[in-house]
Amino acid sequence: MIAANKFSRQLGPLFLSALISAALTHAQSTLKPDKPPITYANGLVGTAPLDDQKLIGNAPPPGEQLYSGFTSPGARLPHSSTELAPINANLDLSYPAGVRASYFYSNRTMYGFSSGADDSPTVMPVVGDWTVPPERSGSVYDKKQEKASPGYYSVYLDDYRTRVELTATTWTGIFRFTFPQSEKANILLDLGFSGGDVEVVNDHTVRGKSANGKSFFIAEFSKPFQSFGVFKQVPSRNRDPLIGFSDVEPESRTISGPFSGAYLHYATTAGEQVLLKVATGVSFEAAEARLHNEDPDWNFDAVKHKAEDAWAAKLNQVVVKGGTEKQRMLFYSCLYHSFASPHLIAKKGEQFTGLDHELHTAEYDRYDTVPFWDTGRNQIVLLTLFEPDTKLDILRSQLDRARESGYMATSFHGDNAIFMYLGDWKRGLNFDWASAYEYLRKNAMDPKGPRGHLAEYIQRGWISDFIPKGNPSPPYAGGKAGAATTLEYSWDDYALAQYALKLGKQDDYKMFLERAHNYKNVFDPSTGFIRGKTEDGQWISPFDPREPYYNFMMKEASGWSTLWLVPHDVRGLINLLGGRDKFDAKLDEFFSTPYTAKGICRDCTGVIGQYVQGNQPDQQAAYYYDWGGQPWKTQKLARQILEQMYGSDHTGYAFPGMDDQGSTASWYAMSALGFYPVDPSSSAYILGSPIFDQATIHLGSGKTFTITTHNNSAKNMYIQSATLNGHPWNKPWFDHADIANGGELILTMGPLPNKNWGSSPSDAPPSMSDNEQ
């Protein structure tokens, strides 16, 4: 108090009041008692759409729902194929959006719950009369009582006065139904449109298999049901099961066909609980073994706690301080979604069916395909940072899948598996890199492989497109996506060149390095954009860079968005655009030109000017100012995207576009920490603007990397100065080698840009063209 009186005489009471207020505000944001990270993670994040029209563009097409992130609020473990999740969209009878997502936050009727992996039955408790699917007996539910947290989901069905709770182990799911007093309590299970075989084994067990005979399930009930029966949907004469008629067989035990299922009847007292356990496998024996090994009793809470412990171990790897309560909720929810894929197929020692259609016994934890066009741009790096041991199994899984199928998986578009293998090699993982190269190279050289139009790409150095009859505007959705595919392959080829060089394959290095420049072949200097060509090499005309093309020249993107799809050679793109000043001016125009497209891109929500956060092609573009010598603009944009594109709707759960198995979520998680892997095949991390006062990252290697910010706030978003591992740092990026053994990045923030920090050409992140200057 004496010190305060002394300062009050020297500085004046108004200044002192402001100083104390600021100090208290800062203390409240950073010194609150920390809650465990898992308490912030909310599975409902990413299930709602943006609702500010200026962020939405012109989506969706008439008659469809706006893209809502399509994350799942269901109960699962990290990377698990087993998920128990709510279904509030009856996809058997409707097609509510461009993607067949089974859950939209805005929907208010529950139709059922998934019970595990693919081909597992849909489960629904019904009190009263019920109808055979596909009509499905739904219930309105109370959004206020809906809860989704890591490993757990709960909802109250108003019409049936029944609470449903879900949790899961690796291969089993367990339901807990709390019924009202009723003589008509029922639980329905069915195999959906594809159907299969269902059998009521005894008074507490139902089992079945998919129509293709590859997936089997076992369902056990904690209490014997009092009566039962089976049902299916009988196709009409035109063989359409959706307009057929029902076949319900009371007391029958077996049935086959579309929507084959069983109904189990109870008379319940108020608050009576019935539990249901479900497991799937490659046989009835395998499913039953999983059910009894992983879930031997009926202790729902014990299973839930184990699931929460598994998630806590993941989320505890990052401890953040500062930021707002909402920012911490969004961060940990996004980090939670980042561990969604790839999915586990078989644990070590378990059997699975490989891509060669043979039955194998897993020699390690086997995973399914990585969605390379999506999570291959960011999430694959996050997984390496946090779980390198799991990542080694993922690398091995993709290689063995290549051995079984003959080619490395490509996943949707491009050929981006090389990003994961080269990036992990550069980040120090120990793997059989030479064996992986055999298949990575085969993808890039064999025209019969998964790279579309590869022969044309090798011959010409670019891929043409064809002009549809009448060349309609807005453009049609078909085509070869020639210009965008050329860019994707060029990026892939640069990574292959570096990979070949590390293996000492000089001839391959030179060949792929030459091909890595092919992106220049589809750059039109007369317009300053990437542009499609016809087979005779002429630029396709008319051409409007503001129009979103689904496959005509571009891939789910406009000419504006596709322009920046050169992450491996941003400096080369700078040169094409006429130097740094013109490059930055082009970026400025990109982020400020209003979105006025005629054509509708379903994925294109979350817009800032022509920039689209909701789809992959340009998600890295906000970080390009770090190459252009204006890193303060990247810092401002990163904050703007984090603030406006995530949770800015009335629910607080919105995502732009699609999450794509953790891609959009990973963008938030890493950008909130303050860095982003613009080129995942590179070991460079590009700096943005952290939203937290401190983030302690426990790397999977056992080392700790800490990012500390001083004077950080919503207004103080600009980096004034930095130190890395105790040394002054003037670059808007750092390398994995700088943090591989742990370290600390300290950033001093301020309300105005420091235009001298990180702006020199020598401070820019690496690019392919660096060695050509």
Side-chain angles (χ1 to χ4, degrees), residues 94-111:
S94 64
Y95 191 61
V99 172
R100 293 179 61 82
S102 58
Y103 182 92
F104 295 81
Y105 183 79
S106 57
N107 291 0
R108 297 303 177 97
T109 301
M110 196 67 69
Y111 295 101

Side-chain angles (χ1 to χ4, degrees), residues 35-53:
K35 296 192 298 185
I38 194 171
T39 62
Y40 288 107
N42 188 332
L44 294 169
V45 168
T47 63
L50 294 166
D51 57 11
D52 185 340
Q53 188 60 50

Side-chain angles (χ1 to χ4, degrees), residues 625-645:
Y625 284 110
D626 283 2
W627 278 268
Q630 297 181 347
W632 62 89
K633 291 183 178 178
T634 283
Q635 294 154 27
K636 181 179 180 181
L637 274 168
R639 289 288 188 102
Q640 182 179 354
I641 296 168
L642 291 167
E643 179 69 20
Q644 292 184 351
M645 307 304 177

Side-chain angles (χ1 to χ4, degrees), residues 263-282:
Y263 66 92
L264 305 316
H265 172 74
Y266 292 89
T268 55
T269 59
E272 182 173 353
Q273 293 185 334
V274 178
L275 278 65
L276 166 63
K277 297 188 296 187
V278 182
T280 58
V282 296

